[in-house]
Amino acid sequence: MIRFENDYTEGAHKRILKRLIETNEEQTPGYGVDEYCEKAKAYIQRECDASNADIHFLVGGTQTNTTIIASILRPHQGAVAAITGHIAIHETGAIEATGHKVLTLPSDDGKIQAKQVKELYDAHWNDVTHEHMVQPGLVYISNPTENGTTYSKAELEALSEVCRECRLPLVLDGARLGYGLASIDSDLTLADIARLCDVFYIGGTKIGAMFGEAVVIINDALKKDFRYMIKQKGGLLAKGRLLGIQFETLFVDGLYYEISKHAVEMAMMIREAFVENGFSLRYDSTSNQQFPILTNDVILELGKKYSFSFWEKVDATHSSVRFCTSWATKKEHVEMLVEDIKATKREKNGNDRVI
Amino acid sequence: MIRFENDYTEGAHKRILKRLIETNEEQTPGYGVDEYCEKAKAYIQRECDASNADIHFLVGGTQTNTTIIASILRPHQGAVAAITGHIAIHETGAIEATGHKVLTLPSDDGKIQAKQVKELYDAHWNDVTHEHMVQPGLVYISNPTENGTTYSKAELEALSEVCRECRLPLVLDGARLGYGLASIDSDLTLADIARLCDVFYIGGTKIGAMFGEAVVIINDALKKDFRYMIKQKGGLLAKGRLLGIQFETLFVDGLYYEISKHAVEMAMMIREAFVENGFSLRYDSTSNQQFPILTNDVILELGKKYSFSFWEKVDATHSSVRFCTSWATKKEHVEMLVEDIKATKREKNGNDRVI
Amino acid sequence: MIRFENDYTEGAHKRILKRLIETNEEQTPGYGVDEYCEKAKAYIQRECDASNADIHFLVGGTQTNTTIIASILRPHQGAVAAITGHIAIHETGAIEATGHKVLTLPSDDGKIQAKQVKELYDAHWNDVTHEHMVQPGLVYISNPTENGTTYSKAELEALSEVCRECRLPLVLDGARLGYGLASIDSDLTLADIARLCDVFYIGGTKIGAMFGEAVVIINDALKKDFRYMIKQKGGLLAKGRLLGIQFETLFVDGLYYEISKHAVEMAMMIREAFVENGFSLRYDSTSNQQFPILTNDVILELGKKYSFSFWEKVDATHSSVRFCTSWATKKEHVEMLVEDIKATKREKNGNDRVI
Amino acid sequence: MIRFENDYTEGAHKRILKRLIETNEEQTPGYGVDEYCEKAKAYIQRECDASNADIHFLVGGTQTNTTIIASILRPHQGAVAAITGHIAIHETGAIEATGHKVLTLPSDDGKIQAKQVKELYDAHWNDVTHEHMVQPGLVYISNPTENGTTYSKAELEALSEVCRECRLPLVLDGARLGYGLASIDSDLTLADIARLCDVFYIGGTKIGAMFGEAVVIINDALKKDFRYMIKQKGGLLAKGRLLGIQFETLFVDGLYYEISKHAVEMAMMIREAFVENGFSLRYDSTSNQQFPILTNDVILELGKKYSFSFWEKVDATHSSVRFCTSWATKKEHVEMLVEDIKATKREKNGNDRVI
């Protein structure tokens, strides 16, 4: 079985593994106050062009989102997010478990627009009964989104402007941030993101690290006591240097960008194979997740050799599925898949596969 | 200003006030373990035909919903509700503040149907990633709904059946329960509700009492330690006998039904006045809340003499508004309003008011 | 049975009841934005010599403490309180239910001293692992305390000074505030309390009102969005004017002080009777709660005619109990009790009752 | 600097690192449903003599304690723990953040006894106002404790019996479990712990693993939906197989016991060195943590070469400190320390170091 079901099927990039081995017997203080964490922070500040940013390392995405959001909101406030947002659907109510509602905005492609945020904000404050409703307290976006789409610089600037106007911190979930930045559609850099967001995180788990997410806090007002929050939410890793070593390796000389680029190239090969062979795509993704719409029999056939995720039923005979690539995706596996996609067409020669 | 803006503009029904005066100097134990509470419980058990029901008295609706729901759910579970449900919109995230997501179902009229619950339940359990999502843990409905509509016995039976099949406790918010039961459309009794729901409450605040809601717990599995929950959520009134006295008075000889009937009759006069004079209704309500769609100038004109609530904008020139009646509504005020609705038509003689 | 078991055994003071009756049929807007609430707020601001104070009315004490504390703290902070504090023991974990630890300080008489707060604060910040511990976020005291003792002006000034130095808001639970102010030992006024605390509340439930607590927020930084918090925590009474009417009556012309004084006089009669007849007191209380230490047989004997609360076992043959007086305590009842205390001595003539 | 400050100063045991390297490029499904996790579970079930136990792997201790405790308790219940317990002090209120009070029992050595649990339980249920207090909902212990002491089989059996009698699940924090089992004072096995506890966890982070804790749920009633809880609390590692691989390696052939034994032998060398040279011990620990009481000047002197933790001030000139050993502690470092302890004595020749 060749796995495209997600972007965390392997361990760690070999250079990261090498560094973990080299440093294994060293003794360092715990909880992330070691020199590796310090170095990793400096590299990330440099990449973000944000020397005053506070950087913290956590283990996983749900933990990171929860810690950030719980740290920012007062009890009567909620997090504004796309209805497709990870915090809105796939974190088992972790945000609600800290007492906060996720205020959802409609979205088909995973993105939300500045106009929507402004309308929701105005609707709240113009309602005479607003004290009976959850107050919008921050805006959460993912880039790339859970659907593989990415924000353009113009879109992010517009969002950022509205958020600052409404005094709503803008929080960006970057679990797959590298793959978003590597998208051919993206005109954003880490420095842009640092300029436009109040808090964001740089995902390591899905991009070369064994595990780990780097939180970047830009807004000074949100920096206070964040380590207490990490500890309370269970994210303060005893051997914190493991996170520092990994992020140092990812950012010392551009490894993060390099392996992100590889994953996206692999994804585009898959995308093209589906499109050229007459399949539609559920979302117009140019990052590492691809969502072709397949007939049920194609799903069964490809499923014998490849693992991928069911996404959603489209009609009685079609469903969309998700293929993920990653830093670890082997080109020969993608080439094999491309051939099999082609073969599927030749064998079936059926319009029924295409909508 | 004659107020139709809500159903809690006055104090208490005169018979309740009389009993509060008569008993004022008596000494009783605190926290609802007095004889008045005992008597009130017995009357409610009788009305519900549920001699084993546990009855508890709380002060207000948000508190009551929160206490019930927090008492039932485990941390990873959520409350299924109509998107229009009070807990979903108008309780400042009280449910989320106890750690639980409100899982919303679409609804235009405020009701949800058995089929929707089953589909949501199946969708959860059929999803291979269900552990990443909030598990449906109970079903919350309001009767009458926040839009004035009521469930038929058949609808409630179907909901109850699905809930039992899915092992989801069915919780009914009865903040306006009397007005629902008094609706000419309703074929439900308190005993039906007790038979079909696991927990519900009988609203007093909006129906004759100065304040107070009576929780009825039918399902034995949900009875344990409920008083701890009331105390923790701030609902254990020191002078609990005040609640007992009020509910005793409401249920000793049918006062609750009688005053509910009055309110609904007043509401139907208002409804008819609007309909006969060519106004549409936003919802087909036959309980104490009426939602006519008015032109902006009619809103301004009626607003000079009567207070009522803005509901929602319909188009550039029309909005729906809410008129509430209650146990305290004076017939002469309604007659005056009816005349003014008619006059509005005569003066304007305009089709523009009607859609 | 003559009840001294608590200070909420009766309904409301007759002048309050009279005002509730007089205003019963008036129509007012809901949720505390009516003219009665406005007037009550103005009277309280006047008494507090704090024209900029925000005043809010809630129903009960647990709700009030929870709403205040949850409104102030960030998630990693806790409320510092005496180990005997109401929030530490008798609110079923209401504070913890909002996510916050109660950080307890030892106390035998119910009070905490400035020095203790400073030591706890220093201990936290001097600990290198302080991020692994709950950060002190506010200081909670009760006046009078749960043991009937009261803070002197000097003690409260010292606490206030330390709190301001440590940037810890000082919150005062005034569920029995009137009885504390009326204590012969007290040199505090409402204006002193307003000057020295950041937030406090003036208890009505136990002092003449049918129910109700008036929150006074002095510190501007703590005023924001408090009504959202009240709603979320279930404390926003629909018929808010009921609270306004009651507090207006209590404060329009000094009723609150007058009835508090009565209660304390009654308590002092009881205190003296016990002391003069050779009984010890568990706490040196000069407010409305008295805690004599009685032999088990005296407890049984007095218990035939009077209800009072068991407090704690002292040794095999003695326990302390609590007698409460209130605004409603009848002098003839106290005189009868005083006689019975004397009689107890005469009949038994036993040293065994006394320690 | 030679570090004895904690037991997580190095990376992972070389055999674990080797397995992580060997498996690095394999593709597995995410979230702990891979074959490595399955194998690790089977080994742990075998060691626990509990083939029906549910096993789950999480990343760190605070997360694990919080997930277990939040999963078990209803909202009005608390966790009974020693006042020295990790959840009571050093998790930044993580338990309270899920809504639950930690009900502390006095303890000087870190242990609690069956009698204390019974007394607390009885005190709660015998109090007539128990509904106003947090209900004990489970008992939490650590073995070894935070002070290095261990429970004997007789003590644990007594605790277990009381807990079952009181229907309080017994939860054991085994962050350092291996070091407890390896203590010369311990007559417990993993199978004993599985027999006597309802839920416990086997710490990996401090005992050879890079990170990871293995939760063992024995009580069937507590197994339901635990994975939802892990996800919500942020503990469901994407690359779950990393945990499976580590625990498989630790338990396939006794590595866990072997390296635990080494650590304890190293600790006993340190203990003996202190004792033989006239130092007192703050706790009588025979596990991997040692708490000598040193004079301030000895602390300064040893601190030049070794890192260790300040524990608590004993008097003006003495403090207790903590030396930890671990699976990774080098014998030559311990021998050097032993020499330096001796030298300290020779140089100073002072009785002032000893109390």
Side-chain angles (χ1 to χ4, degrees):
Chain A
M1 184 68 65
I2 299 170
R3 297 191 178 274
F4 292 101
E5 72 204 57
N6 61 47
D7 29 22
Y8 36 89
T9 47
E10 287 87 357
H13 189 276
K14 60 187 175 187
R15 278 164 60 188
I16 284 178
L17 205 56
K18 180 165 170 285
R19 288 295 294 146
L20 289 173
I21 298 163
E22 288 169 357
T23 58
N24 188 56
E25 295 194 34
E26 290 181 24
Q27 290 192 311
T28 55
Y31 300 117
V33 297
D34 58 274
E35 63 179 305
Y36 295 106
C37 287
E38 289 313 304
K39 280 187 205 161
K41 288 176 187 181
Y43 289 129
I44 290 174
Q45 287 169 334
R46 183 192 65 190
E47 294 303 302
C48 293
D49 193 16
S51 57
N52 289 322
D54 272 8
I55 318 279
H56 302 274
F57 301 111
L58 286 86
V59 172
T62 295
Q63 187 180 83
T64 304
N65 283 327
T66 305
T67 306
I68 292 171
I69 291 171
S71 172
I72 295 175
L73 297 179
R74 287 190 62 203
H76 59 292
Q77 296 180 321
V80 178
I83 199 163
T84 52
H86 207 252
I87 60 165
I89 308 179
H90 278 118
E91 299 187 351
T92 320
I95 303 306
E96 288 84 359
T98 67
H100 302 288
K101 194 181 188 75
V102 179
L103 297 161
T104 54
L105 290 171
S107 173
D108 186 59
D109 64 356
K111 295 198 283 185
I112 55 174
Q113 302 302 331
K115 190 168 172 289
Q116 290 179 283
V117 171
K118 188 62 167 61
E119 283 169 358
L120 179 138
Y121 178 86
D122 288 343
H124 179 81
W125 289 101
N126 291 337
D127 193 313
V128 291
T129 65
H130 59 78
E131 291 161 344
H132 296 237
M133 295 189 288
V134 173
Q135 186 185 92
L138 64 79
V139 173
Y140 162 96
I141 58 173
S142 303
N143 189 51
T145 68
E146 295 75 8
N147 302 329
T149 55
T150 57
Y151 286 88
S152 68
K153 195 189 291 187
E155 286 173 323
L156 194 61
E157 283 174 342
L159 263 174
S160 181
E161 192 181 329
V162 159
C163 285
R164 282 167 194 182
E165 184 186 331
C166 302
R167 296 177 176 277
L168 295 170
L170 179 57
V171 172
L172 186 146
D173 176 334
R176 296 185 173 96
L177 187 53
Y179 302 142
L181 299 177
S183 159
I184 51 166
D185 278 355
S186 179
D187 52 358
L188 285 167
T189 63
L190 268 183
D192 291 326
I193 286 168
R195 178 174 53 88
L196 298 170
C197 296
D198 294 275
V199 185
F200 65 100
Y201 70 93
I202 303 171
T205 300
K206 292 166 178 163
I207 309 182
M210 196 174 265
F211 57 87
E213 317 293 314
V215 175
V216 183
I217 309 182
I218 299 295
N219 183 335
D220 287 341
L222 306 179
K223 291 175 177 174
K224 192 148 186 274
D225 292 342
F226 196 75
R227 277 174 58 88
Y228 285 88
M229 292 297 301
I230 301 175
K231 177 63 185 169
Q232 184 184 79
K233 300 305 175 201
L236 199 59
L237 193 66
K239 300 176 185 171
R241 89 335 192 10
L242 298 174
L243 294 160
I245 291 163
Q246 296 185 82
F247 275 97
E248 183 194 353
T249 309
L250 286 170
F251 282 99
V252 62
D253 60 2
L255 178 61
Y256 190 73
Y257 306 114
E258 180 189 318
I259 63 181
S260 293
K261 189 160 169 284
H262 166 76
V264 172
E265 285 169 359
M266 296 300 100
M268 295 307 283
M269 283 176 65
I270 295 173
R271 176 185 163 122
E272 279 159 37
F274 280 118
V275 170
E276 286 176 4
N277 288 284
F279 294 94
S280 300
L281 301 171
R282 176 66 182 85
Y283 308 108
D284 184 20
S285 163
T286 51
S287 67
N288 79 312
Q289 301 180 89
Q290 295 298 325
F291 301 85
I293 295 171
L294 309 180
T295 56
N296 298 342
D297 54 355
V298 170
I299 291 174
L300 283 174
E301 197 175 320
L302 289 178
K304 290 172 189 163
K305 196 163 164 189
Y306 306 97
S307 73
F308 46 88
S309 311
F310 173 81
W311 193 255
E312 62 179 22
K313 195 172 166 178
V314 170
D315 62 30
T317 55
H318 297 77
S319 289
S320 60
V321 298
R322 184 183 74 159
F323 282 80
C324 288
T325 60
S326 80
W327 59 277
T329 301
K330 292 187 165 60
K331 194 170 185 183
E332 57 266 34
H333 287 168
V334 174
E335 286 167 345
M336 199 186 302
L337 173 61
V338 166
E339 284 310 306
D340 286 327
I341 293 167
K342 281 186 200 163
T344 298
K345 189 184 179 187
R346 278 194 303 276
E347 284 166 24
K348 298 285 169 117
N349 190 26
N351 291 322
D352 66 336
R353 286 196 323 279
V354 191
I355 43 173
Chain B
M1 184 69 64
I2 299 170
R3 297 191 178 274
F4 292 101
E5 73 203 57
N6 61 47
D7 29 22
Y8 36 88
T9 47
E10 287 87 358
H13 189 274
K14 61 187 174 188
R15 278 164 61 187
I16 283 178
L17 204 56
K18 180 165 169 286
R19 288 296 293 146
L20 290 173
I21 297 163
E22 288 169 358
T23 57
N24 188 55
E25 295 193 33
E26 289 181 25
Q27 290 193 310
T28 56
Y31 299 117
V33 297
D34 57 275
E35 63 179 307
Y36 294 106
C37 287
E38 288 313 303
K39 279 186 206 162
K41 289 176 186 182
Y43 289 129
I44 290 173
Q45 286 169 334
R46 183 192 66 190
E47 294 303 302
C48 292
D49 194 16
S51 56
N52 289 323
D54 273 9
I55 319 278
H56 301 274
F57 301 111
L58 285 86
V59 172
T62 295
Q63 187 181 83
T64 304
N65 282 328
T66 305
T67 306
I68 292 171
I69 290 171
S71 172
I72 295 175
L73 298 179
R74 287 189 63 203
H76 59 292
Q77 296 180 321
V80 178
I83 198 163
T84 52
H86 207 251
I87 60 166
I89 309 179
H90 278 118
E91 300 187 350
T92 320
I95 304 307
E96 288 83 359
T98 67
H100 302 288
K101 194 182 189 75
V102 179
L103 298 161
T104 54
L105 290 172
S107 174
D108 186 59
D109 63 357
K111 295 197 284 184
I112 56 175
Q113 301 302 329
K115 188 168 174 288
Q116 290 179 283
V117 171
K118 188 62 168 62
E119 284 169 358
L120 179 140
Y121 179 86
D122 288 343
H124 178 82
W125 289 101
N126 291 337
D127 193 313
V128 292
T129 65
H130 59 79
E131 292 161 342
H132 296 236
M133 294 188 289
V134 173
Q135 187 185 91
L138 64 80
V139 173
Y140 162 96
I141 58 173
S142 304
N143 190 52
T145 67
E146 294 74 7
N147 302 328
T149 55
T150 57
Y151 285 88
S152 68
K153 195 189 291 187
E155 286 172 325
L156 194 60
E157 283 174 343
L159 263 174
S160 181
E161 192 181 331
V162 159
C163 285
R164 283 168 192 179
E165 184 186 331
C166 302
R167 296 176 177 275
L168 295 170
L170 180 57
V171 172
L172 185 144
D173 176 334
R176 295 185 174 96
L177 187 52
Y179 302 141
L181 299 177
S183 159
I184 51 167
D185 277 356
S186 179
D187 53 357
L188 285 168
T189 63
L190 269 182
D192 290 326
I193 286 168
R195 179 173 53 88
L196 298 170
C197 296
D198 294 275
V199 185
F200 66 100
Y201 71 94
I202 302 171
T205 300
K206 291 166 179 162
I207 309 182
M210 197 175 265
F211 56 87
E213 317 293 313
V215 175
V216 183
I217 310 182
I218 300 295
N219 184 334
D220 287 341
L222 307 179
K223 291 175 177 174
K224 194 150 184 274
D225 293 342
F226 196 74
R227 278 174 57 88
Y228 285 88
M229 292 296 300
I230 302 175
K231 178 62 186 169
Q232 184 184 80
K233 300 306 174 202
L236 200 57
L237 193 66
K239 300 177 186 172
R241 87 340 194 358
L242 298 174
L243 294 160
I245 291 163
Q246 296 186 83
F247 275 97
E248 184 194 352
T249 308
L250 286 170
F251 282 99
V252 62
D253 60 2
L255 178 61
Y256 190 74
Y257 306 115
E258 181 190 316
I259 63 182
S260 293
K261 190 161 167 283
H262 165 76
V264 173
E265 284 170 0
M266 295 300 100
M268 295 307 282
M269 284 175 65
I270 296 172
R271 177 186 163 121
E272 278 158 38
F274 280 117
V275 170
E276 285 176 5
N277 288 283
F279 294 95
S280 299
L281 301 171
R282 176 65 183 86
Y283 308 108
D284 185 20
S285 163
T286 52
S287 67
N288 77 312
Q289 300 181 90
Q290 295 298 324
F291 301 85
I293 296 171
L294 308 180
T295 55
N296 297 343
D297 52 357
V298 170
I299 290 174
L300 282 175
E301 196 175 320
L302 289 178
K304 291 172 190 164
K305 194 163 165 190
Y306 306 96
S307 72
F308 46 87
S309 312
F310 173 80
W311 194 255
E312 62 179 22
K313 195 174 167 176
V314 170
D315 62 29
T317 55
H318 296 76
S319 289
S320 60
V321 298
R322 184 183 73 160
F323 282 79
C324 288
T325 60
S326 80
W327 59 277
T329 302
K330 292 188 167 58
K331 195 170 183 184
E332 59 265 32
H333 287 168
V334 174
E335 286 168 345
M336 200 186 302
L337 172 62
V338 166
E339 284 310 306
D340 285 329
I341 294 167
K342 281 186 200 163
T344 299
K345 190 185 178 188
R346 277 194 304 276
E347 285 166 23
K348 299 283 169 122
N349 191 26
N351 291 321
D352 65 336
R353 287 195 321 279
V354 192
I355 43 174
Chain C
M1 185 67 65
I2 299 170
R3 297 190 178 276
F4 292 100
E5 72 203 56
N6 61 47
D7 30 21
Y8 36 90
T9 47
E10 287 86 357
H13 189 275
K14 62 187 174 187
R15 277 163 61 188
I16 283 179
L17 203 58
K18 181 164 169 284
R19 288 297 293 148
L20 290 173
I21 297 164
E22 286 170 358
T23 57
N24 188 55
E25 294 194 35
E26 288 181 26
Q27 290 193 310
T28 56
Y31 299 117
V33 297
D34 58 274
E35 63 179 305
Y36 294 106
C37 287
E38 288 313 304
K39 279 185 207 163
K41 289 176 188 182
Y43 289 129
I44 291 173
Q45 287 169 333
R46 184 193 64 190
E47 295 302 303
C48 293
D49 194 16
S51 57
N52 289 323
D54 272 8
I55 319 278
H56 301 274
F57 302 110
L58 285 86
V59 173
T62 296
Q63 187 181 82
T64 303
N65 282 327
T66 306
T67 306
I68 291 171
I69 291 171
S71 171
I72 295 174
L73 298 179
R74 287 189 63 202
H76 59 292
Q77 297 179 323
V80 178
I83 198 163
T84 51
H86 207 250
I87 60 167
I89 308 178
H90 278 118
E91 299 188 350
T92 321
I95 304 305
E96 288 84 358
T98 68
H100 303 287
K101 194 182 189 73
V102 179
L103 298 162
T104 54
L105 290 172
S107 174
D108 185 59
D109 63 357
K111 296 198 283 184
I112 54 176
Q113 302 302 331
K115 188 167 173 286
Q116 290 179 284
V117 171
K118 187 60 168 61
E119 283 168 359
L120 179 139
Y121 178 86
D122 287 343
H124 178 82
W125 288 102
N126 291 337
D127 192 313
V128 292
T129 65
H130 61 77
E131 292 160 344
H132 296 236
M133 294 188 289
V134 173
Q135 186 186 92
L138 64 80
V139 173
Y140 162 96
I141 58 172
S142 303
N143 190 52
T145 68
E146 295 74 9
N147 302 329
T149 55
T150 57
Y151 286 88
S152 69
K153 196 189 290 186
E155 286 172 324
L156 195 60
E157 282 173 344
L159 263 174
S160 182
E161 193 181 330
V162 159
C163 286
R164 280 167 194 179
E165 184 187 331
C166 301
R167 294 177 178 276
L168 294 170
L170 179 58
V171 172
L172 185 146
D173 176 333
R176 296 184 173 96
L177 187 52
Y179 301 141
L181 298 178
S183 159
I184 51 166
D185 277 355
S186 179
D187 53 357
L188 285 168
T189 64
L190 268 183
D192 290 326
I193 286 168
R195 178 172 54 87
L196 298 171
C197 297
D198 294 276
V199 185
F200 66 100
Y201 71 94
I202 302 171
T205 300
K206 291 166 179 161
I207 309 182
M210 195 174 266
F211 56 87
E213 317 293 314
V215 175
V216 182
I217 309 181
I218 300 294
N219 183 334
D220 287 342
L222 306 179
K223 291 176 177 175
K224 194 151 185 271
D225 292 343
F226 196 75
R227 277 173 58 86
Y228 284 89
M229 292 297 300
I230 302 176
K231 177 63 186 169
Q232 184 184 79
K233 300 306 176 202
L236 200 58
L237 192 66
K239 299 175 187 172
R241 83 351 190 350
L242 298 175
L243 294 161
I245 291 163
Q246 295 186 81
F247 276 97
E248 183 194 352
T249 308
L250 287 170
F251 282 99
V252 62
D253 58 4
L255 178 61
Y256 190 73
Y257 306 115
E258 181 190 316
I259 62 182
S260 293
K261 191 161 167 284
H262 166 75
V264 173
E265 285 169 0
M266 296 300 99
M268 295 307 282
M269 284 174 65
I270 295 173
R271 176 185 164 122
E272 280 159 36
F274 279 117
V275 170
E276 287 176 4
N277 288 283
F279 294 94
S280 299
L281 301 171
R282 176 66 183 85
Y283 309 108
D284 184 20
S285 164
T286 51
S287 68
N288 78 312
Q289 302 181 89
Q290 294 300 323
F291 302 85
I293 296 172
L294 309 180
T295 54
N296 298 343
D297 53 356
V298 170
I299 291 174
L300 283 175
E301 195 176 320
L302 290 179
K304 290 172 190 163
K305 195 163 163 189
Y306 305 96
S307 72
F308 46 88
S309 310
F310 172 81
W311 194 255
E312 63 180 21
K313 196 173 166 176
V314 169
D315 61 30
T317 55
H318 297 76
S319 288
S320 60
V321 299
R322 185 183 72 162
F323 283 80
C324 289
T325 60
S326 80
W327 58 277
T329 301
K330 290 188 168 59
K331 195 170 183 183
E332 59 265 33
H333 287 167
V334 174
E335 287 168 343
M336 199 186 302
L337 172 61
V338 166
E339 285 309 306
D340 286 327
I341 294 168
K342 282 185 199 163
T344 298
K345 192 185 177 187
R346 279 192 302 275
E347 285 166 23
K348 301 280 170 125
N349 190 26
N351 291 322
D352 65 335
R353 288 194 322 278
V354 189
I355 42 175
Chain D
M1 185 68 66
I2 299 171
R3 296 191 179 275
F4 293 100
E5 72 202 57
N6 62 46
D7 30 22
Y8 35 89
T9 47
E10 287 87 358
H13 189 274
K14 63 187 173 187
R15 277 164 60 190
I16 283 179
L17 204 58
K18 181 166 170 284
R19 288 296 293 147
L20 289 173
I21 298 164
E22 287 169 357
T23 58
N24 187 56
E25 295 194 33
E26 288 181 27
Q27 290 192 311
T28 56
Y31 299 116
V33 297
D34 58 273
E35 63 179 306
Y36 295 106
C37 286
E38 288 313 305
K39 278 187 208 163
K41 288 176 188 182
Y43 289 129
I44 290 173
Q45 287 169 333
R46 184 192 65 191
E47 295 302 303
C48 294
D49 194 17
S51 57
N52 288 323
D54 273 9
I55 319 278
H56 301 273
F57 302 111
L58 286 85
V59 173
T62 295
Q63 187 181 84
T64 302
N65 283 327
T66 305
T67 306
I68 291 172
I69 290 171
S71 172
I72 294 175
L73 298 179
R74 288 189 64 203
H76 59 292
Q77 297 180 321
V80 178
I83 199 164
T84 52
H86 207 251
I87 60 167
I89 308 179
H90 278 118
E91 300 188 350
T92 321
I95 304 306
E96 288 84 359
T98 67
H100 302 288
K101 193 181 190 74
V102 179
L103 297 161
T104 54
L105 289 171
S107 174
D108 185 60
D109 63 357
K111 295 197 283 184
I112 54 175
Q113 302 301 331
K115 190 168 171 287
Q116 290 178 284
V117 170
K118 188 62 168 61
E119 283 169 357
L120 179 138
Y121 178 86
D122 288 343
H124 178 82
W125 289 101
N126 291 338
D127 193 314
V128 291
T129 64
H130 60 76
E131 293 160 344
H132 296 237
M133 294 188 290
V134 173
Q135 186 185 93
L138 64 80
V139 173
Y140 162 96
I141 58 172
S142 304
N143 190 51
T145 68
E146 295 74 8
N147 302 330
T149 55
T150 57
Y151 286 88
S152 69
K153 195 189 289 187
E155 287 172 323
L156 194 61
E157 282 173 343
L159 262 175
S160 182
E161 193 181 330
V162 159
C163 286
R164 280 166 195 180
E165 185 187 329
C166 302
R167 296 177 177 277
L168 294 171
L170 179 57
V171 172
L172 186 146
D173 176 333
R176 295 185 172 96
L177 188 51
Y179 301 141
L181 299 177
S183 159
I184 51 166
D185 277 355
S186 179
D187 53 356
L188 286 168
T189 64
L190 268 183
D192 291 326
I193 285 168
R195 178 173 54 87
L196 298 170
C197 296
D198 294 276
V199 185
F200 65 100
Y201 71 92
I202 302 170
T205 300
K206 291 166 179 162
I207 309 182
M210 195 174 267
F211 56 87
E213 317 294 313
V215 175
V216 183
I217 309 181
I218 300 294
N219 184 333
D220 287 342
L222 306 179
K223 292 175 176 173
K224 193 149 186 272
D225 293 343
F226 196 75
R227 278 173 59 86
Y228 284 88
M229 291 298 300
I230 302 176
K231 178 62 186 169
Q232 184 185 78
K233 300 306 175 202
L236 200 58
L237 193 67
K239 298 175 186 172
R241 73 22 180 336
L242 298 175
L243 293 161
I245 291 163
Q246 295 185 82
F247 276 96
E248 184 194 353
T249 309
L250 286 170
F251 282 99
V252 62
D253 59 3
L255 177 61
Y256 190 74
Y257 306 115
E258 179 189 317
I259 62 181
S260 294
K261 191 161 166 285
H262 166 75
V264 173
E265 285 169 0
M266 296 300 100
M268 295 308 282
M269 285 175 64
I270 295 172
R271 175 186 164 119
E272 280 160 35
F274 280 117
V275 170
E276 287 176 3
N277 288 282
F279 294 94
S280 300
L281 301 170
R282 175 66 183 84
Y283 309 108
D284 184 20
S285 163
T286 51
S287 68
N288 78 311
Q289 301 180 90
Q290 295 299 324
F291 302 84
I293 295 172
L294 309 181
T295 54
N296 298 344
D297 54 355
V298 170
I299 291 174
L300 283 175
E301 195 175 321
L302 289 178
K304 291 174 190 163
K305 194 163 165 190
Y306 307 96
S307 72
F308 46 89
S309 310
F310 172 80
W311 193 255
E312 61 180 22
K313 194 172 166 176
V314 170
D315 61 30
T317 55
H318 297 76
S319 290
S320 60
V321 299
R322 185 183 73 161
F323 283 80
C324 289
T325 60
S326 81
W327 58 275
T329 301
K330 291 187 168 60
K331 196 171 183 183
E332 58 265 34
H333 287 167
V334 174
E335 287 168 343
M336 198 186 303
L337 172 62
V338 166
E339 285 309 306
D340 286 328
I341 294 167
K342 281 185 199 161
T344 298
K345 191 185 177 187
R346 279 192 302 275
E347 285 166 23
K348 299 283 169 121
N349 190 27
N351 292 322
D352 65 334
R353 285 196 322 280
V354 190
I355 44 174

